[in-house]
Amino acid sequence: MTTPQPLPLKGKIALITGASRGIGAGLARELSTRGASLLLTYTSPSSDSLVTSLISTLPTPCRSIRVDLSHPSAPSTILRALDEWLGPDSKIHILVNNAAVEVVKGLGEIEIEDYEKVYNLNRFDPRGKNRVINIGSVGARCGMKNLGLYCSSKAALEGLTRCWAAELGGDGTTVNQVNPGPVATEMLENIPREIVDGQKARTPLEGRVGTVEEVSRIAGWLAGEESSWVTGQVLSASGGLEMY
Ligand SMILES: NC(=O)c1ccc[n+]([C@@H]2O[C@H](COP(=O)([O-])OP(=O)(O)OC[C@H]3O[C@@H](n4cnc5c(N)ncnc54)[C@H](OP(=O)(O)O)[C@@H]3O)[C@@H](O)[C@H]2O)c1
Protein backbone atom coordinates (compact mmCIF):
# COMPACT_ATOMS: atom_id res chain seq x y z
CA MET A 1 0.00 0.00 0.00
CA THR A 2 1.39 3.46 -0.88
CA THR A 3 1.60 6.04 1.90
CA PRO A 4 -0.54 9.12 1.13
CA GLN A 5 1.65 12.18 0.49
CA PRO A 6 1.22 15.12 2.90
CA LEU A 7 -0.30 18.25 1.38
CA PRO A 8 1.76 21.07 2.89
CA LEU A 9 -0.13 23.81 1.02
CA LYS A 10 -3.66 22.54 1.75
CA GLY A 11 -5.98 25.48 2.50
CA LYS A 12 -3.67 27.99 0.80
CA ILE A 13 -4.65 30.14 -2.19
CA ALA A 14 -1.90 30.84 -4.70
CA LEU A 15 -1.90 33.38 -7.50
CA ILE A 16 0.46 32.45 -10.32
CA THR A 17 0.97 34.90 -13.18
CA GLY A 18 1.80 33.65 -16.68
CA ALA A 19 0.62 30.14 -15.91
CA SER A 20 -0.68 29.08 -19.33
CA ARG A 21 2.57 27.45 -20.47
CA GLY A 22 6.27 26.98 -19.79
CA ILE A 23 7.54 27.49 -16.26
CA GLY A 24 4.23 28.99 -15.09
CA ALA A 25 2.32 25.81 -16.00
CA GLY A 26 4.98 23.80 -14.13
CA LEU A 27 4.56 26.05 -11.09
CA ALA A 28 0.80 25.43 -11.24
CA ARG A 29 1.29 21.65 -11.30
CA GLU A 30 3.79 21.83 -8.42
CA LEU A 31 1.71 24.02 -6.08
CA SER A 32 -1.53 22.20 -6.87
CA THR A 33 0.13 18.84 -6.17
CA ARG A 34 1.20 20.28 -2.81
CA GLY A 35 -2.45 21.12 -2.07
CA ALA A 36 -2.89 24.82 -2.92
CA SER A 37 -5.94 26.16 -4.78
CA LEU A 38 -4.84 28.32 -7.67
CA LEU A 39 -5.83 31.45 -9.51
CA LEU A 40 -3.88 31.40 -12.77
CA THR A 41 -3.34 34.36 -15.09
CA TYR A 42 -2.40 34.54 -18.76
CA THR A 43 -2.98 37.07 -21.52
CA SER A 44 -3.33 35.64 -25.04
CA PRO A 45 -6.70 34.40 -26.38
CA SER A 46 -4.68 31.64 -28.08
CA SER A 47 -3.80 30.31 -24.62
CA ASP A 48 -7.47 29.87 -23.53
CA SER A 49 -7.49 26.19 -24.43
CA LEU A 50 -4.04 25.59 -22.88
CA VAL A 51 -5.24 26.90 -19.53
CA THR A 52 -8.52 25.01 -19.69
CA SER A 53 -6.71 21.77 -20.37
CA LEU A 54 -4.07 22.47 -17.67
CA ILE A 55 -6.77 23.11 -15.07
CA SER A 56 -8.57 19.89 -16.01
CA THR A 57 -5.47 17.95 -14.94
CA LEU A 58 -4.84 19.72 -11.61
CA PRO A 59 -5.94 17.99 -8.40
CA THR A 60 -7.12 21.12 -6.51
CA PRO A 61 -9.77 23.78 -7.28
CA CYS A 62 -8.30 26.23 -9.81
CA ARG A 63 -9.57 29.20 -11.82
CA SER A 64 -8.04 31.33 -14.50
CA ILE A 65 -8.29 34.95 -15.56
CA ARG A 66 -7.07 36.40 -18.83
CA VAL A 67 -5.52 39.80 -18.18
CA ASP A 68 -2.68 41.91 -19.55
CA LEU A 69 -0.43 42.53 -16.58
CA SER A 70 1.29 45.46 -18.25
CA HIS A 71 -1.97 47.37 -17.85
CA PRO A 72 -2.42 49.34 -14.59
CA SER A 73 -5.93 47.95 -14.10
CA ALA A 74 -4.67 44.33 -14.04
CA PRO A 75 -4.30 43.95 -10.23
CA SER A 76 -7.89 45.07 -9.58
CA THR A 77 -9.17 42.79 -12.37
CA ILE A 78 -7.41 39.85 -10.73
CA LEU A 79 -8.67 40.67 -7.27
CA ARG A 80 -12.22 41.02 -8.63
CA ALA A 81 -11.90 37.55 -10.17
CA LEU A 82 -10.70 36.21 -6.83
CA ASP A 83 -13.64 37.80 -5.01
CA GLU A 84 -16.10 36.40 -7.54
CA TRP A 85 -14.61 32.94 -7.10
CA LEU A 86 -14.05 32.72 -3.35
CA GLY A 87 -15.92 35.70 -1.89
CA PRO A 88 -14.89 39.19 -0.80
CA ASP A 89 -12.94 38.09 2.28
CA SER A 90 -10.67 35.72 0.40
CA LYS A 91 -6.92 36.23 0.70
CA ILE A 92 -3.94 35.31 -1.40
CA HIS A 93 -1.37 33.38 0.64
CA ILE A 94 1.16 32.73 -2.10
CA LEU A 95 1.95 35.13 -4.93
CA VAL A 96 4.19 33.88 -7.73
CA ASN A 97 5.26 36.67 -10.08
CA ASN A 98 6.22 34.59 -13.08
CA ALA A 99 4.84 36.30 -16.22
CA ALA A 100 7.48 38.10 -18.26
CA VAL A 101 8.46 38.93 -21.80
CA GLU A 102 11.83 39.47 -23.37
CA VAL A 103 12.96 41.76 -26.15
CA VAL A 104 16.18 40.88 -27.96
CA LYS A 105 17.49 44.19 -29.29
CA GLY A 106 20.77 46.08 -29.25
CA LEU A 107 21.20 49.46 -27.59
CA GLY A 108 20.76 51.45 -30.80
CA GLU A 109 17.53 49.66 -31.72
CA ILE A 110 15.62 49.90 -28.45
CA GLU A 111 12.48 52.06 -28.65
CA ILE A 112 10.47 53.47 -25.75
CA GLU A 113 7.71 50.95 -26.59
CA ASP A 114 10.22 48.11 -26.05
CA TYR A 115 11.12 49.53 -22.65
CA GLU A 116 7.46 49.77 -21.67
CA LYS A 117 6.69 46.25 -22.92
CA VAL A 118 9.40 44.71 -20.74
CA TYR A 119 9.32 46.97 -17.69
CA ASN A 120 5.55 47.29 -17.34
CA LEU A 121 5.23 43.53 -17.11
CA ASN A 122 8.32 42.15 -15.40
CA ARG A 123 7.19 43.41 -11.98
CA PHE A 124 3.92 43.41 -10.00
CA ASP A 125 2.55 44.73 -6.72
CA PRO A 126 2.08 42.05 -4.06
CA ARG A 127 -1.00 41.57 -1.89
CA GLY A 128 0.18 38.33 -0.37
CA LYS A 129 0.43 37.83 3.39
CA ASN A 130 2.45 34.68 3.37
CA ARG A 131 4.78 33.95 0.48
CA VAL A 132 5.92 36.03 -2.47
CA ILE A 133 8.05 34.23 -5.04
CA ASN A 134 9.48 36.26 -7.91
CA ILE A 135 10.75 34.45 -10.97
CA GLY A 136 13.82 36.29 -12.23
CA SER A 137 16.65 35.01 -14.41
CA VAL A 138 20.37 34.36 -14.15
CA GLY A 139 20.43 37.24 -16.65
CA ALA A 140 19.92 39.56 -13.66
CA ARG A 141 23.59 39.13 -12.83
CA CYS A 142 25.41 38.54 -16.08
CA GLY A 143 25.94 40.47 -19.26
CA MET A 144 24.21 39.14 -22.38
CA LYS A 145 24.39 40.87 -25.74
CA ASN A 146 21.13 42.51 -26.91
CA LEU A 147 19.28 41.54 -23.72
CA GLY A 148 19.76 44.77 -21.77
CA LEU A 149 16.07 45.46 -21.20
CA TYR A 150 15.26 41.93 -20.08
CA CYS A 151 18.30 41.48 -17.84
CA SER A 152 17.98 44.89 -16.22
CA SER A 153 14.27 44.25 -15.51
CA LYS A 154 15.26 41.04 -13.70
CA ALA A 155 17.99 42.89 -11.77
CA ALA A 156 15.34 45.43 -10.76
CA LEU A 157 13.15 42.55 -9.60
CA GLU A 158 15.97 41.45 -7.27
CA GLY A 159 15.93 44.95 -5.77
CA LEU A 160 12.18 44.69 -5.24
CA THR A 161 12.57 41.22 -3.73
CA ARG A 162 14.93 42.53 -1.05
CA CYS A 163 12.87 45.65 -0.36
CA TRP A 164 9.58 43.73 -0.16
CA ALA A 165 11.28 41.22 2.17
CA ALA A 166 12.26 44.11 4.45
CA GLU A 167 8.79 45.65 4.23
CA LEU A 168 6.58 42.59 4.58
CA GLY A 169 8.51 40.44 7.05
CA GLY A 170 6.72 41.73 10.15
CA ASP A 171 3.82 39.30 9.80
CA GLY A 172 6.00 36.37 8.77
CA THR A 173 5.67 36.96 5.06
CA THR A 174 8.72 35.87 3.09
CA VAL A 175 9.77 37.28 -0.27
CA ASN A 176 12.30 35.40 -2.37
CA GLN A 177 13.39 35.14 -5.98
CA VAL A 178 14.21 32.13 -8.13
CA ASN A 179 16.58 32.86 -11.02
CA PRO A 180 16.38 30.09 -13.62
CA GLY A 181 19.11 29.46 -16.13
CA PRO A 182 17.89 28.46 -19.61
CA VAL A 183 14.79 26.24 -19.59
CA ALA A 184 13.23 24.76 -22.73
CA THR A 185 10.07 26.87 -23.12
CA GLU A 186 8.73 29.13 -25.87
CA MET A 187 10.64 32.04 -24.36
CA LEU A 188 13.96 30.29 -24.91
CA GLU A 189 13.22 29.94 -28.63
CA ASN A 190 13.63 33.72 -28.91
CA ILE A 191 17.12 33.73 -27.39
CA PRO A 192 20.00 33.59 -29.91
CA ARG A 193 21.31 30.02 -30.26
CA GLU A 194 24.92 31.01 -29.54
CA ILE A 195 23.93 32.43 -26.15
CA VAL A 196 22.14 29.22 -25.13
CA ASP A 197 24.96 27.01 -26.41
CA GLY A 198 27.46 29.09 -24.42
CA GLN A 199 25.28 28.80 -21.30
CA LYS A 200 25.06 25.02 -21.66
CA ALA A 201 28.83 24.79 -22.06
CA ARG A 202 29.25 26.75 -18.80
CA THR A 203 26.67 24.72 -16.83
CA PRO A 204 28.56 22.39 -14.46
CA LEU A 205 25.60 20.03 -13.95
CA GLU A 206 25.45 17.87 -17.07
CA GLY A 207 25.98 20.78 -19.48
CA ARG A 208 22.28 21.06 -20.35
CA VAL A 209 19.29 23.38 -19.97
CA GLY A 210 17.01 22.97 -16.97
CA THR A 211 13.51 21.55 -16.87
CA VAL A 212 10.32 23.27 -15.82
CA GLU A 213 10.04 20.77 -12.94
CA GLU A 214 13.52 21.58 -11.61
CA VAL A 215 12.58 25.24 -11.32
CA SER A 216 9.05 24.60 -10.02
CA ARG A 217 10.19 22.36 -7.16
CA ILE A 218 12.27 25.20 -5.71
CA ALA A 219 9.26 27.50 -5.83
CA GLY A 220 7.22 24.72 -4.20
CA TRP A 221 9.69 24.61 -1.31
CA LEU A 222 9.71 28.40 -0.98
CA ALA A 223 5.89 28.37 -0.86
CA GLY A 224 5.80 26.06 2.15
CA GLU A 225 6.52 26.12 5.86
CA GLU A 226 10.02 24.61 5.55
CA SER A 227 11.36 27.85 4.09
CA SER A 228 9.96 30.08 6.87
CA TRP A 229 13.40 31.47 7.88
CA VAL A 230 14.49 32.35 4.35
CA THR A 231 13.64 35.78 2.99
CA GLY A 232 15.11 38.40 0.68
CA GLN A 233 17.16 35.72 -1.06
CA VAL A 234 17.80 34.87 -4.68
CA LEU A 235 18.25 31.20 -5.56
CA SER A 236 19.92 30.43 -8.85
CA ALA A 237 18.09 27.44 -10.39
CA SER A 238 20.59 26.87 -13.13
CA GLY A 239 22.70 23.75 -12.62
CA GLY A 240 25.50 26.00 -11.40
CA LEU A 241 25.45 28.43 -14.31
CA GLU A 242 26.24 31.86 -12.79
CA MET A 243 27.04 30.80 -9.21
CA TYR A 244 26.05 33.37 -6.58
N1 LIG B 1 12.62 29.86 -20.30
C1 LIG B 1 13.79 30.28 -19.85
O1 LIG B 1 14.86 29.88 -20.35
C2 LIG B 1 13.87 31.24 -18.68
C3 LIG B 1 15.13 31.50 -18.15
C4 LIG B 1 15.24 32.38 -17.09
C5 LIG B 1 14.10 32.97 -16.57
N2 LIG B 1 12.87 32.69 -17.10
C6 LIG B 1 11.72 33.35 -16.50
O2 LIG B 1 10.73 32.38 -16.17
C7 LIG B 1 9.43 32.98 -16.27
C8 LIG B 1 8.54 32.13 -17.18
O3 LIG B 1 9.19 32.03 -18.44
P1 LIG B 1 8.73 31.00 -19.56
O4 LIG B 1 9.94 30.57 -20.26
O5 LIG B 1 7.80 30.00 -18.98
O6 LIG B 1 7.92 32.00 -20.53
P2 LIG B 1 6.84 31.70 -21.67
O7 LIG B 1 6.85 30.28 -22.05
O8 LIG B 1 7.12 32.73 -22.71
O9 LIG B 1 5.45 32.03 -20.92
C9 LIG B 1 5.19 33.36 -20.55
C10 LIG B 1 3.92 33.43 -19.76
O10 LIG B 1 3.69 34.81 -19.42
C11 LIG B 1 2.39 35.19 -19.88
N3 LIG B 1 2.42 36.59 -20.30
C12 LIG B 1 3.17 37.14 -21.29
N4 LIG B 1 2.88 38.45 -21.41
C13 LIG B 1 1.92 38.73 -20.50
C14 LIG B 1 1.18 39.89 -20.17
N5 LIG B 1 1.37 41.07 -20.79
N6 LIG B 1 0.25 39.80 -19.17
C15 LIG B 1 0.04 38.61 -18.53
N7 LIG B 1 0.70 37.48 -18.81
C16 LIG B 1 1.62 37.54 -19.79
C17 LIG B 1 2.10 34.26 -21.05
O11 LIG B 1 0.69 34.19 -21.25
P3 LIG B 1 0.07 33.76 -22.72
O12 LIG B 1 0.28 32.26 -22.88
O13 LIG B 1 -1.35 34.08 -22.59
O14 LIG B 1 0.80 34.56 -23.76
C18 LIG B 1 2.70 32.95 -20.53
O15 LIG B 1 1.81 32.34 -19.62
C19 LIG B 1 9.65 34.41 -16.78
O16 LIG B 1 9.69 35.29 -15.69
C20 LIG B 1 11.02 34.33 -17.44
O17 LIG B 1 11.66 35.59 -17.49
C21 LIG B 1 12.73 31.84 -18.16
Side-chain angles (χ1 to χ4, degrees):
M1 205 173 88
T2 51
T3 319
Q5 295 298 306
L7 293 174
L9 301 183
K10 195 168 180 207
K12 304 286 187 193
I13 311 294
L15 168 62
I16 306 175
T17 68
S20 49
R21 51 197 168 88
I23 292 172
L27 292 164
R29 285 189 288 271
E30 184 67 37
L31 297 195
S32 178
T33 303
R34 291 176 187 241
S37 299
L38 310 179
L39 182 58
L40 307 176
T41 83
Y42 65 107
T43 196
S44 312
S46 58
S47 291
D48 284 342
S49 56
L50 286 179
V51 177
T52 306
S53 111
L54 172 67
I55 287 180
S56 72
T57 65
L58 298 176
T60 52
C62 301
R63 287 287 170 96
S64 66
I65 172 89
R66 185 160 68 78
V67 61
D68 181 351
L69 289 175
S70 64
H71 199 277
S73 64
S76 54
T77 305
I78 292 170
L79 294 179
R80 209 164 43 246
L82 183 74
D83 290 351
E84 279 165 17
W85 178 29
L86 297 173
D89 296 328
S90 50
K91 294 208 166 30
I92 295 168
H93 305 105
I94 301 161
L95 169 63
V96 188
N97 290 312
N98 168 73
V101 287
E102 75 200 344
V103 166
V104 184
K105 276 191 176 180
L107 253 184
E109 306 163 297
I110 294 171
E111 307 282 351
I112 190 70
E113 293 77 23
D114 298 320
Y115 175 88
E116 284 171 354
K117 183 175 172 196
V118 174
Y119 268 76
N120 289 354
L121 175 61
N122 292 3
R123 64 192 167 86
F124 187 60
D125 286 338
R127 196 188 87 160
K129 288 282 180 207
N130 255 336
R131 295 284 183 269
V132 180
I133 303 162
N134 294 325
I135 307 298
S137 165
V138 291
R141 297 197 196 180
C142 66
M144 288 195 277
K145 197 173 153 186
N146 295 337
L147 281 164
L149 282 180
Y150 178 73
C151 292
S152 62
S153 76
K154 296 301 193 178
L157 192 60
E158 285 196 13
L160 291 172
T161 296
R162 288 186 278 272
C163 291
W164 291 346
E167 275 177 52
L168 302 176
D171 68 356
T173 293
T174 68
V175 185
N176 292 289
Q177 180 157 329
V178 178
N179 278 357
V183 176
T185 67
E186 283 179 44
M187 180 175 277
L188 197 66
E189 289 164 18
N190 193 31
I191 299 281
R193 205 64 258 157
E194 65 272 17
I195 290 186
V196 180
D197 288 344
Q199 288 179 314
K200 280 161 67 178
R202 289 184 286 110
T203 298
L205 288 178
E206 301 171 342
R208 60 172 172 84
V209 302
T211 66
V212 163
E213 290 73 23
E214 284 167 328
V215 174
S216 303
R217 280 197 295 265
I218 296 169
W221 176 74
L222 284 172
E225 181 53 30
E226 297 94 330
S227 62
S228 61
W229 203 233
V230 176
T231 198
Q233 303 302 310
V234 181
L235 281 88
S236 178
S238 63
L241 171 68
E242 316 300 349
M243 296 185 196
Y244 43 78

